[in-house]
Amino acid sequence: MDIALQPNRAEDRNAVALKAYGRIVQHWGLTLAEAAALSDMSESTWKRARKPGYPGDLTHDQMLRLSAIIGIYKSLALYFGEEIAQRWPTLPNQGPLFAGARPVDTMVADGLPQFLRVRTYLDALRGGM
């Protein structure tokens, strides 16, 4: 029996994560540079990675980043209405993690630890902690 998608294969996990991430950054209206920086890729690599059939491997850090973004997206959708959830990552934020900066900018600047702090923060806001 030939199964097209085998979740235990790294290539399949990468493809699913990249597809979901691509949809999220499009929904959030991120620029090419922002999407590339969040995923810890160069812009040219992100251009290739967002296309189906990307043959490259994701590093462990990149997969954790994409996973965190998917969790952040889900938390935003559960906590806020669609309009705010869509704009939240790119709006200046006075919350304790952001000091007036846009959440997307803090994640780019501070890397994976900030992704995880943002995800935990949003989960706590919606009562998930």
Side-chain angles (χ1 to χ4, degrees), residues 53-91:
Y54 174 66
D57 289 327
L58 295 176
T59 66
H60 184 67
D61 182 79
Q62 288 169 324
M63 191 58 115
L64 288 173
R65 286 168 175 259
L66 300 188
S67 176
I69 289 292
I70 293 166
I72 289 166
Y73 180 82
K74 181 180 175 185
S75 289
L76 289 170
L78 292 171
Y79 188 69
F80 296 112
E82 168 125 9
E83 182 181 337
I84 296 297
Q86 182 176 352
R87 296 177 50 227
W88 187 89
T90 59
L91 293 173

PDB file of all heavy atoms in Angstrom, residues 53-91:
ATOM      1  N   GLY A  53       6.920  21.100  -2.796  1.00  0.00           N
ATOM      2  CA  GLY A  53       8.012  20.265  -3.281  1.00  0.00           C
ATOM      3  C   GLY A  53       9.392  20.750  -2.901  1.00  0.00           C
ATOM      4  O   GLY A  53      10.388  20.251  -3.414  1.00  0.00           O
ATOM      5  N   TYR A  54       9.476  21.713  -1.980  1.00  0.00           N
ATOM      6  CA  TYR A  54      10.783  22.218  -1.537  1.00  0.00           C
ATOM      7  C   TYR A  54      11.625  21.050  -1.033  1.00  0.00           C
ATOM      8  O   TYR A  54      11.223  20.328  -0.114  1.00  0.00           O
ATOM      9  CB  TYR A  54      10.589  23.265  -0.442  1.00  0.00           C
ATOM     10  CG  TYR A  54      11.867  23.752   0.198  1.00  0.00           C
ATOM     11  CD1 TYR A  54      12.796  24.480  -0.533  1.00  0.00           C
ATOM     12  CD2 TYR A  54      12.143  23.491   1.529  1.00  0.00           C
ATOM     13  CE1 TYR A  54      13.971  24.936   0.052  1.00  0.00           C
ATOM     14  CE2 TYR A  54      13.306  23.950   2.126  1.00  0.00           C
ATOM     15  CZ  TYR A  54      14.216  24.670   1.378  1.00  0.00           C
ATOM     16  OH  TYR A  54      15.376  25.119   1.954  1.00  0.00           O
ATOM     17  N   PRO A  55      12.799  20.834  -1.626  1.00  0.00           N
ATOM     18  CA  PRO A  55      13.600  19.672  -1.260  1.00  0.00           C
ATOM     19  C   PRO A  55      14.505  19.870  -0.044  1.00  0.00           C
ATOM     20  O   PRO A  55      15.120  18.925   0.426  1.00  0.00           O
ATOM     21  CB  PRO A  55      14.458  19.443  -2.513  1.00  0.00           C
ATOM     22  CG  PRO A  55      14.653  20.824  -3.065  1.00  0.00           C
ATOM     23  CD  PRO A  55      13.359  21.558  -2.766  1.00  0.00           C
ATOM     24  N   GLY A  56      14.585  21.083   0.462  1.00  0.00           N
ATOM     25  CA  GLY A  56      15.502  21.363   1.566  1.00  0.00           C
ATOM     26  C   GLY A  56      15.003  20.831   2.894  1.00  0.00           C
ATOM     27  O   GLY A  56      13.830  20.537   3.080  1.00  0.00           O
ATOM     28  N   ASP A  57      15.924  20.698   3.807  1.00  0.00           N
ATOM     29  CA  ASP A  57      15.599  20.266   5.166  1.00  0.00           C
ATOM     30  C   ASP A  57      15.451  21.481   6.063  1.00  0.00           C
ATOM     31  O   ASP A  57      16.129  22.491   5.869  1.00  0.00           O
ATOM     32  CB  ASP A  57      16.713  19.384   5.731  1.00  0.00           C
ATOM     33  CG  ASP A  57      16.776  18.028   5.066  1.00  0.00           C
ATOM     34  OD1 ASP A  57      15.710  17.515   4.667  1.00  0.00           O
ATOM     35  OD2 ASP A  57      17.886  17.485   4.944  1.00  0.00           O
ATOM     36  N   LEU A  58      14.592  21.367   7.044  1.00  0.00           N
ATOM     37  CA  LEU A  58      14.475  22.397   8.075  1.00  0.00           C
ATOM     38  C   LEU A  58      15.332  21.982   9.253  1.00  0.00           C
ATOM     39  O   LEU A  58      15.369  20.816   9.627  1.00  0.00           O
ATOM     40  CB  LEU A  58      13.023  22.541   8.534  1.00  0.00           C
ATOM     41  CG  LEU A  58      12.018  23.042   7.510  1.00  0.00           C
ATOM     42  CD1 LEU A  58      10.615  23.038   8.096  1.00  0.00           C
ATOM     43  CD2 LEU A  58      12.387  24.421   7.018  1.00  0.00           C
ATOM     44  N   THR A  59      16.016  22.938   9.839  1.00  0.00           N
ATOM     45  CA  THR A  59      16.780  22.650  11.045  1.00  0.00           C
ATOM     46  C   THR A  59      15.802  22.455  12.200  1.00  0.00           C
ATOM     47  O   THR A  59      14.619  22.804  12.113  1.00  0.00           O
ATOM     48  CB  THR A  59      17.733  23.806  11.388  1.00  0.00           C
ATOM     49  OG1 THR A  59      16.951  24.960  11.734  1.00  0.00           O
ATOM     50  CG2 THR A  59      18.676  24.123  10.230  1.00  0.00           C
ATOM     51  N   HIS A  60      16.313  21.923  13.281  1.00  0.00           N
ATOM     52  CA  HIS A  60      15.484  21.747  14.480  1.00  0.00           C
ATOM     53  C   HIS A  60      14.943  23.104  14.941  1.00  0.00           C
ATOM     54  O   HIS A  60      13.759  23.226  15.281  1.00  0.00           O
ATOM     55  CB  HIS A  60      16.306  21.068  15.581  1.00  0.00           C
ATOM     56  CG  HIS A  60      15.533  20.764  16.813  1.00  0.00           C
ATOM     57  ND1 HIS A  60      14.514  19.833  16.849  1.00  0.00           N
ATOM     58  CD2 HIS A  60      15.619  21.284  18.063  1.00  0.00           C
ATOM     59  CE1 HIS A  60      14.004  19.800  18.068  1.00  0.00           C
ATOM     60  NE2 HIS A  60      14.662  20.660  18.827  1.00  0.00           N
ATOM     61  N   ASP A  61      15.800  24.123  14.942  1.00  0.00           N
ATOM     62  CA  ASP A  61      15.386  25.470  15.335  1.00  0.00           C
ATOM     63  C   ASP A  61      14.283  26.000  14.421  1.00  0.00           C
ATOM     64  O   ASP A  61      13.298  26.566  14.903  1.00  0.00           O
ATOM     65  CB  ASP A  61      16.593  26.411  15.309  1.00  0.00           C
ATOM     66  CG  ASP A  61      16.232  27.820  15.751  1.00  0.00           C
ATOM     67  OD1 ASP A  61      16.120  28.052  16.968  1.00  0.00           O
ATOM     68  OD2 ASP A  61      16.044  28.691  14.860  1.00  0.00           O
ATOM     69  N   GLN A  62      14.426  25.816  13.126  1.00  0.00           N
ATOM     70  CA  GLN A  62      13.406  26.291  12.195  1.00  0.00           C
ATOM     71  C   GLN A  62      12.077  25.576  12.428  1.00  0.00           C
ATOM     72  O   GLN A  62      11.017  26.205  12.417  1.00  0.00           O
ATOM     73  CB  GLN A  62      13.853  26.094  10.748  1.00  0.00           C
ATOM     74  CG  GLN A  62      14.955  27.039  10.337  1.00  0.00           C
ATOM     75  CD  GLN A  62      15.586  26.666   9.008  1.00  0.00           C
ATOM     76  OE1 GLN A  62      15.735  25.490   8.680  1.00  0.00           O
ATOM     77  NE2 GLN A  62      15.957  27.696   8.244  1.00  0.00           N
ATOM     78  N   MET A  63      12.110  24.277  12.665  1.00  0.00           N
ATOM     79  CA  MET A  63      10.875  23.541  12.913  1.00  0.00           C
ATOM     80  C   MET A  63      10.226  24.011  14.210  1.00  0.00           C
ATOM     81  O   MET A  63       9.000  24.152  14.264  1.00  0.00           O
ATOM     82  CB  MET A  63      11.171  22.039  12.962  1.00  0.00           C
ATOM     83  CG  MET A  63       9.917  21.222  12.960  1.00  0.00           C
ATOM     84  SD  MET A  63       8.897  21.541  11.502  1.00  0.00           S
ATOM     85  CE  MET A  63       8.976  19.975  10.733  1.00  0.00           C
ATOM     86  N   LEU A  64      11.028  24.290  15.229  1.00  0.00           N
ATOM     87  CA  LEU A  64      10.472  24.821  16.478  1.00  0.00           C
ATOM     88  C   LEU A  64       9.841  26.193  16.256  1.00  0.00           C
ATOM     89  O   LEU A  64       8.779  26.498  16.806  1.00  0.00           O
ATOM     90  CB  LEU A  64      11.545  24.898  17.555  1.00  0.00           C
ATOM     91  CG  LEU A  64      12.010  23.568  18.131  1.00  0.00           C
ATOM     92  CD1 LEU A  64      13.192  23.777  19.064  1.00  0.00           C
ATOM     93  CD2 LEU A  64      10.872  22.870  18.857  1.00  0.00           C
ATOM     94  N   ARG A  65      10.477  27.030  15.455  1.00  0.00           N
ATOM     95  CA  ARG A  65       9.927  28.354  15.138  1.00  0.00           C
ATOM     96  C   ARG A  65       8.579  28.224  14.437  1.00  0.00           C
ATOM     97  O   ARG A  65       7.611  28.896  14.800  1.00  0.00           O
ATOM     98  CB  ARG A  65      10.885  29.133  14.239  1.00  0.00           C
ATOM     99  CG  ARG A  65      12.110  29.671  14.927  1.00  0.00           C
ATOM    100  CD  ARG A  65      13.139  30.157  13.911  1.00  0.00           C
ATOM    101  NE  ARG A  65      14.270  30.782  14.540  1.00  0.00           N
ATOM    102  CZ  ARG A  65      14.442  32.102  14.633  1.00  0.00           C
ATOM    103  NH1 ARG A  65      13.586  32.927  14.096  1.00  0.00           N
ATOM    104  NH2 ARG A  65      15.497  32.579  15.249  1.00  0.00           N
ATOM    105  N   LEU A  66       8.518  27.358  13.429  1.00  0.00           N
ATOM    106  CA  LEU A  66       7.266  27.193  12.685  1.00  0.00           C
ATOM    107  C   LEU A  66       6.183  26.631  13.586  1.00  0.00           C
ATOM    108  O   LEU A  66       5.024  27.069  13.530  1.00  0.00           O
ATOM    109  CB  LEU A  66       7.469  26.301  11.460  1.00  0.00           C
ATOM    110  CG  LEU A  66       8.488  26.770  10.422  1.00  0.00           C
ATOM    111  CD1 LEU A  66       8.436  25.889   9.182  1.00  0.00           C
ATOM    112  CD2 LEU A  66       8.312  28.227  10.045  1.00  0.00           C
ATOM    113  N   SER A  67       6.538  25.682  14.425  1.00  0.00           N
ATOM    114  CA  SER A  67       5.585  25.113  15.364  1.00  0.00           C
ATOM    115  C   SER A  67       5.050  26.177  16.329  1.00  0.00           C
ATOM    116  O   SER A  67       3.855  26.244  16.601  1.00  0.00           O
ATOM    117  CB  SER A  67       6.247  23.976  16.148  1.00  0.00           C
ATOM    118  OG  SER A  67       5.369  23.471  17.122  1.00  0.00           O
ATOM    119  N   ALA A  68       5.947  27.007  16.835  1.00  0.00           N
ATOM    120  CA  ALA A  68       5.526  28.083  17.747  1.00  0.00           C
ATOM    121  C   ALA A  68       4.608  29.069  17.032  1.00  0.00           C
ATOM    122  O   ALA A  68       3.601  29.513  17.606  1.00  0.00           O
ATOM    123  CB  ALA A  68       6.743  28.794  18.323  1.00  0.00           C
ATOM    124  N   ILE A  69       4.912  29.421  15.796  1.00  0.00           N
ATOM    125  CA  ILE A  69       4.064  30.344  15.040  1.00  0.00           C
ATOM    126  C   ILE A  69       2.678  29.739  14.842  1.00  0.00           C
ATOM    127  O   ILE A  69       1.658  30.437  14.976  1.00  0.00           O
ATOM    128  CB  ILE A  69       4.701  30.702  13.677  1.00  0.00           C
ATOM    129  CG1 ILE A  69       5.921  31.600  13.878  1.00  0.00           C
ATOM    130  CG2 ILE A  69       3.693  31.354  12.730  1.00  0.00           C
ATOM    131  CD1 ILE A  69       5.615  32.998  14.401  1.00  0.00           C
ATOM    132  N   ILE A  70       2.612  28.461  14.548  1.00  0.00           N
ATOM    133  CA  ILE A  70       1.311  27.801  14.389  1.00  0.00           C
ATOM    134  C   ILE A  70       0.531  27.866  15.700  1.00  0.00           C
ATOM    135  O   ILE A  70      -0.662  28.158  15.709  1.00  0.00           O
ATOM    136  CB  ILE A  70       1.498  26.356  13.881  1.00  0.00           C
ATOM    137  CG1 ILE A  70       2.047  26.383  12.446  1.00  0.00           C
ATOM    138  CG2 ILE A  70       0.189  25.573  13.959  1.00  0.00           C
ATOM    139  CD1 ILE A  70       2.593  25.046  11.951  1.00  0.00           C
ATOM    140  N   GLY A  71       1.209  27.635  16.820  1.00  0.00           N
ATOM    141  CA  GLY A  71       0.555  27.751  18.127  1.00  0.00           C
ATOM    142  C   GLY A  71       0.114  29.168  18.437  1.00  0.00           C
ATOM    143  O   GLY A  71      -0.973  29.389  18.986  1.00  0.00           O
ATOM    144  N   ILE A  72       0.931  30.144  18.085  1.00  0.00           N
ATOM    145  CA  ILE A  72       0.580  31.555  18.282  1.00  0.00           C
ATOM    146  C   ILE A  72      -0.647  31.892  17.448  1.00  0.00           C
ATOM    147  O   ILE A  72      -1.594  32.527  17.934  1.00  0.00           O
ATOM    148  CB  ILE A  72       1.782  32.463  17.933  1.00  0.00           C
ATOM    149  CG1 ILE A  72       2.870  32.329  19.004  1.00  0.00           C
ATOM    150  CG2 ILE A  72       1.349  33.919  17.768  1.00  0.00           C
ATOM    151  CD1 ILE A  72       4.217  32.909  18.603  1.00  0.00           C
ATOM    152  N   TYR A  73      -0.652  31.456  16.220  1.00  0.00           N
ATOM    153  CA  TYR A  73      -1.791  31.701  15.329  1.00  0.00           C
ATOM    154  C   TYR A  73      -3.074  31.115  15.918  1.00  0.00           C
ATOM    155  O   TYR A  73      -4.114  31.775  15.944  1.00  0.00           O
ATOM    156  CB  TYR A  73      -1.489  31.075  13.964  1.00  0.00           C
ATOM    157  CG  TYR A  73      -2.582  31.252  12.949  1.00  0.00           C
ATOM    158  CD1 TYR A  73      -2.705  32.436  12.228  1.00  0.00           C
ATOM    159  CD2 TYR A  73      -3.488  30.233  12.693  1.00  0.00           C
ATOM    160  CE1 TYR A  73      -3.704  32.605  11.287  1.00  0.00           C
ATOM    161  CE2 TYR A  73      -4.494  30.392  11.756  1.00  0.00           C
ATOM    162  CZ  TYR A  73      -4.596  31.578  11.053  1.00  0.00           C
ATOM    163  OH  TYR A  73      -5.589  31.740  10.126  1.00  0.00           O
ATOM    164  N   LYS A  74      -2.990  29.892  16.405  1.00  0.00           N
ATOM    165  CA  LYS A  74      -4.154  29.241  16.998  1.00  0.00           C
ATOM    166  C   LYS A  74      -4.639  29.998  18.239  1.00  0.00           C
ATOM    167  O   LYS A  74      -5.839  30.232  18.405  1.00  0.00           O
ATOM    168  CB  LYS A  74      -3.821  27.798  17.362  1.00  0.00           C
ATOM    169  CG  LYS A  74      -4.981  27.043  17.962  1.00  0.00           C
ATOM    170  CD  LYS A  74      -4.607  25.621  18.297  1.00  0.00           C
ATOM    171  CE  LYS A  74      -5.766  24.933  19.000  1.00  0.00           C
ATOM    172  NZ  LYS A  74      -5.397  23.586  19.435  1.00  0.00           N
ATOM    173  N   SER A  75      -3.713  30.386  19.099  1.00  0.00           N
ATOM    174  CA  SER A  75      -4.090  31.133  20.309  1.00  0.00           C
ATOM    175  C   SER A  75      -4.760  32.460  19.966  1.00  0.00           C
ATOM    176  O   SER A  75      -5.745  32.845  20.586  1.00  0.00           O
ATOM    177  CB  SER A  75      -2.865  31.389  21.185  1.00  0.00           C
ATOM    178  OG  SER A  75      -2.424  30.198  21.774  1.00  0.00           O
ATOM    179  N   LEU A  76      -4.203  33.158  18.980  1.00  0.00           N
ATOM    180  CA  LEU A  76      -4.804  34.433  18.559  1.00  0.00           C
ATOM    181  C   LEU A  76      -6.220  34.227  18.049  1.00  0.00           C
ATOM    182  O   LEU A  76      -7.132  35.003  18.354  1.00  0.00           O
ATOM    183  CB  LEU A  76      -3.944  35.104  17.491  1.00  0.00           C
ATOM    184  CG  LEU A  76      -2.614  35.667  17.963  1.00  0.00           C
ATOM    185  CD1 LEU A  76      -1.770  36.077  16.767  1.00  0.00           C
ATOM    186  CD2 LEU A  76      -2.827  36.838  18.910  1.00  0.00           C
ATOM    187  N   ALA A  77      -6.417  33.178  17.261  1.00  0.00           N
ATOM    188  CA  ALA A  77      -7.742  32.894  16.700  1.00  0.00           C
ATOM    189  C   ALA A  77      -8.744  32.557  17.799  1.00  0.00           C
ATOM    190  O   ALA A  77      -9.919  32.927  17.703  1.00  0.00           O
ATOM    191  CB  ALA A  77      -7.656  31.753  15.698  1.00  0.00           C
ATOM    192  N   LEU A  78      -8.282  31.899  18.852  1.00  0.00           N
ATOM    193  CA  LEU A  78      -9.184  31.534  19.948  1.00  0.00           C
ATOM    194  C   LEU A  78      -9.478  32.704  20.882  1.00  0.00           C
ATOM    195  O   LEU A  78     -10.557  32.789  21.451  1.00  0.00           O
ATOM    196  CB  LEU A  78      -8.586  30.373  20.746  1.00  0.00           C
ATOM    197  CG  LEU A  78      -8.513  29.034  20.028  1.00  0.00           C
ATOM    198  CD1 LEU A  78      -7.697  28.038  20.848  1.00  0.00           C
ATOM    199  CD2 LEU A  78      -9.903  28.491  19.748  1.00  0.00           C
ATOM    200  N   TYR A  79      -8.509  33.586  21.055  1.00  0.00           N
ATOM    201  CA  TYR A  79      -8.645  34.667  22.031  1.00  0.00           C
ATOM    202  C   TYR A  79      -9.285  35.927  21.457  1.00  0.00           C
ATOM    203  O   TYR A  79     -10.085  36.573  22.113  1.00  0.00           O
ATOM    204  CB  TYR A  79      -7.277  35.001  22.630  1.00  0.00           C
ATOM    205  CG  TYR A  79      -7.352  35.980  23.778  1.00  0.00           C
ATOM    206  CD1 TYR A  79      -7.918  35.600  24.989  1.00  0.00           C
ATOM    207  CD2 TYR A  79      -6.868  37.274  23.654  1.00  0.00           C
ATOM    208  CE1 TYR A  79      -8.001  36.489  26.040  1.00  0.00           C
ATOM    209  CE2 TYR A  79      -6.942  38.175  24.708  1.00  0.00           C
ATOM    210  CZ  TYR A  79      -7.509  37.779  25.897  1.00  0.00           C
ATOM    211  OH  TYR A  79      -7.591  38.667  26.934  1.00  0.00           O
ATOM    212  N   PHE A  80      -8.915  36.288  20.248  1.00  0.00           N
ATOM    213  CA  PHE A  80      -9.390  37.518  19.622  1.00  0.00           C
ATOM    214  C   PHE A  80     -10.346  37.206  18.485  1.00  0.00           C
ATOM    215  O   PHE A  80     -10.350  36.111  17.945  1.00  0.00           O
ATOM    216  CB  PHE A  80      -8.222  38.321  19.031  1.00  0.00           C
ATOM    217  CG  PHE A  80      -7.230  38.818  20.039  1.00  0.00           C
ATOM    218  CD1 PHE A  80      -5.946  38.307  20.077  1.00  0.00           C
ATOM    219  CD2 PHE A  80      -7.569  39.804  20.945  1.00  0.00           C
ATOM    220  CE1 PHE A  80      -5.016  38.770  20.991  1.00  0.00           C
ATOM    221  CE2 PHE A  80      -6.649  40.275  21.870  1.00  0.00           C
ATOM    222  CZ  PHE A  80      -5.370  39.751  21.896  1.00  0.00           C
ATOM    223  N   GLY A  81     -11.092  38.205  18.068  1.00  0.00           N
ATOM    224  CA  GLY A  81     -11.873  38.094  16.854  1.00  0.00           C
ATOM    225  C   GLY A  81     -10.933  38.096  15.662  1.00  0.00           C
ATOM    226  O   GLY A  81      -9.758  38.462  15.766  1.00  0.00           O
ATOM    227  N   GLU A  82     -11.442  37.690  14.500  1.00  0.00           N
ATOM    228  CA  GLU A  82     -10.607  37.531  13.300  1.00  0.00           C
ATOM    229  C   GLU A  82      -9.814  38.781  12.948  1.00  0.00           C
ATOM    230  O   GLU A  82      -8.629  38.698  12.640  1.00  0.00           O
ATOM    231  CB  GLU A  82     -11.476  37.126  12.108  1.00  0.00           C
ATOM    232  CG  GLU A  82     -10.737  37.228  10.812  1.00  0.00           C
ATOM    233  CD  GLU A  82     -10.743  35.959  10.012  1.00  0.00           C
ATOM    234  OE1 GLU A  82     -11.447  35.025  10.366  1.00  0.00           O
ATOM    235  OE2 GLU A  82     -10.009  35.931   9.034  1.00  0.00           O
ATOM    236  N   GLU A  83     -10.449  39.949  12.999  1.00  0.00           N
ATOM    237  CA  GLU A  83      -9.742  41.173  12.580  1.00  0.00           C
ATOM    238  C   GLU A  83      -8.521  41.453  13.454  1.00  0.00           C
ATOM    239  O   GLU A  83      -7.448  41.752  12.958  1.00  0.00           O
ATOM    240  CB  GLU A  83     -10.693  42.376  12.607  1.00  0.00           C
ATOM    241  CG  GLU A  83     -10.029  43.642  12.139  1.00  0.00           C
ATOM    242  CD  GLU A  83     -10.951  44.858  12.184  1.00  0.00           C
ATOM    243  OE1 GLU A  83     -12.172  44.684  12.156  1.00  0.00           O
ATOM    244  OE2 GLU A  83     -10.405  45.967  12.256  1.00  0.00           O
ATOM    245  N   ILE A  84      -8.695  41.346  14.767  1.00  0.00           N
ATOM    246  CA  ILE A  84      -7.570  41.603  15.674  1.00  0.00           C
ATOM    247  C   ILE A  84      -6.540  40.477  15.576  1.00  0.00           C
ATOM    248  O   ILE A  84      -5.337  40.733  15.540  1.00  0.00           O
ATOM    249  CB  ILE A  84      -8.049  41.779  17.128  1.00  0.00           C
ATOM    250  CG1 ILE A  84      -8.940  43.010  17.244  1.00  0.00           C
ATOM    251  CG2 ILE A  84      -6.867  41.866  18.096  1.00  0.00           C
ATOM    252  CD1 ILE A  84      -8.255  44.313  16.929  1.00  0.00           C
ATOM    253  N   ALA A  85      -6.980  39.239  15.515  1.00  0.00           N
ATOM    254  CA  ALA A  85      -6.057  38.107  15.421  1.00  0.00           C
ATOM    255  C   ALA A  85      -5.170  38.231  14.187  1.00  0.00           C
ATOM    256  O   ALA A  85      -3.979  37.920  14.241  1.00  0.00           O
ATOM    257  CB  ALA A  85      -6.832  36.795  15.382  1.00  0.00           C
ATOM    258  N   GLN A  86      -5.740  38.705  13.104  1.00  0.00           N
ATOM    259  CA  GLN A  86      -4.980  38.849  11.857  1.00  0.00           C
ATOM    260  C   GLN A  86      -3.946  39.960  11.954  1.00  0.00           C
ATOM    261  O   GLN A  86      -2.865  39.859  11.404  1.00  0.00           O
ATOM    262  CB  GLN A  86      -5.943  39.134  10.713  1.00  0.00           C
ATOM    263  CG  GLN A  86      -5.273  39.244   9.370  1.00  0.00           C
ATOM    264  CD  GLN A  86      -6.273  39.422   8.241  1.00  0.00           C
ATOM    265  OE1 GLN A  86      -7.477  39.329   8.430  1.00  0.00           O
ATOM    266  NE2 GLN A  86      -5.772  39.700   7.060  1.00  0.00           N
ATOM    267  N   ARG A  87      -4.260  41.022  12.684  1.00  0.00           N
ATOM    268  CA  ARG A  87      -3.376  42.186  12.745  1.00  0.00           C
ATOM    269  C   ARG A  87      -2.441  42.182  13.955  1.00  0.00           C
ATOM    270  O   ARG A  87      -1.427  42.874  13.956  1.00  0.00           O
ATOM    271  CB  ARG A  87      -4.240  43.452  12.752  1.00  0.00           C
ATOM    272  CG  ARG A  87      -5.036  43.625  11.460  1.00  0.00           C
ATOM    273  CD  ARG A  87      -5.969  44.827  11.458  1.00  0.00           C
ATOM    274  NE  ARG A  87      -5.294  46.041  11.879  1.00  0.00           N
ATOM    275  CZ  ARG A  87      -5.789  46.898  12.780  1.00  0.00           C
ATOM    276  NH1 ARG A  87      -6.968  46.710  13.315  1.00  0.00           N
ATOM    277  NH2 ARG A  87      -5.113  47.968  13.112  1.00  0.00           N
ATOM    278  N   TRP A  88      -2.768  41.442  14.997  1.00  0.00           N
ATOM    279  CA  TRP A  88      -2.048  41.488  16.268  1.00  0.00           C
ATOM    280  C   TRP A  88      -0.529  41.375  16.130  1.00  0.00           C
ATOM    281  O   TRP A  88       0.202  42.163  16.745  1.00  0.00           O
ATOM    282  CB  TRP A  88      -2.588  40.403  17.210  1.00  0.00           C
ATOM    283  CG  TRP A  88      -2.031  40.455  18.595  1.00  0.00           C
ATOM    284  CD1 TRP A  88      -2.521  41.166  19.653  1.00  0.00           C
ATOM    285  CD2 TRP A  88      -0.864  39.783  19.074  1.00  0.00           C
ATOM    286  NE1 TRP A  88      -1.740  40.970  20.758  1.00  0.00           N
ATOM    287  CE2 TRP A  88      -0.708  40.120  20.427  1.00  0.00           C
ATOM    288  CE3 TRP A  88       0.066  38.928  18.484  1.00  0.00           C
ATOM    289  CZ2 TRP A  88       0.328  39.636  21.206  1.00  0.00           C
ATOM    290  CZ3 TRP A  88       1.112  38.437  19.260  1.00  0.00           C
ATOM    291  CH2 TRP A  88       1.235  38.797  20.609  1.00  0.00           C
ATOM    292  N   PRO A  89       0.001  40.441  15.343  1.00  0.00           N
ATOM    293  CA  PRO A  89       1.464  40.314  15.280  1.00  0.00           C
ATOM    294  C   PRO A  89       2.180  41.552  14.746  1.00  0.00           C
ATOM    295  O   PRO A  89       3.370  41.745  15.014  1.00  0.00           O
ATOM    296  CB  PRO A  89       1.683  39.130  14.327  1.00  0.00           C
ATOM    297  CG  PRO A  89       0.403  38.369  14.378  1.00  0.00           C
ATOM    298  CD  PRO A  89      -0.666  39.400  14.569  1.00  0.00           C
ATOM    299  N   THR A  90       1.474  42.396  14.001  1.00  0.00           N
ATOM    300  CA  THR A  90       2.124  43.555  13.382  1.00  0.00           C
ATOM    301  C   THR A  90       1.673  44.881  13.991  1.00  0.00           C
ATOM    302  O   THR A  90       1.997  45.936  13.453  1.00  0.00           O
ATOM    303  CB  THR A  90       1.861  43.566  11.863  1.00  0.00           C
ATOM    304  OG1 THR A  90       0.456  43.602  11.624  1.00  0.00           O
ATOM    305  CG2 THR A  90       2.474  42.347  11.194  1.00  0.00           C
ATOM    306  N   LEU A  91       0.963  44.817  15.101  1.00  0.00           N
ATOM    307  CA  LEU A  91       0.539  46.039  15.795  1.00  0.00           C
ATOM    308  C   LEU A  91       1.472  46.337  16.960  1.00  0.00           C
ATOM    309  O   LEU A  91       1.889  45.415  17.667  1.00  0.00           O
ATOM    310  CB  LEU A  91      -0.886  45.884  16.341  1.00  0.00           C
ATOM    311  CG  LEU A  91      -2.012  45.767  15.334  1.00  0.00           C
ATOM    312  CD1 LEU A  91      -3.331  45.458  16.054  1.00  0.00           C
ATOM    313  CD2 LEU A  91      -2.132  47.042  14.515  1.00  0.00           C
TER     314      LEU A  91
END
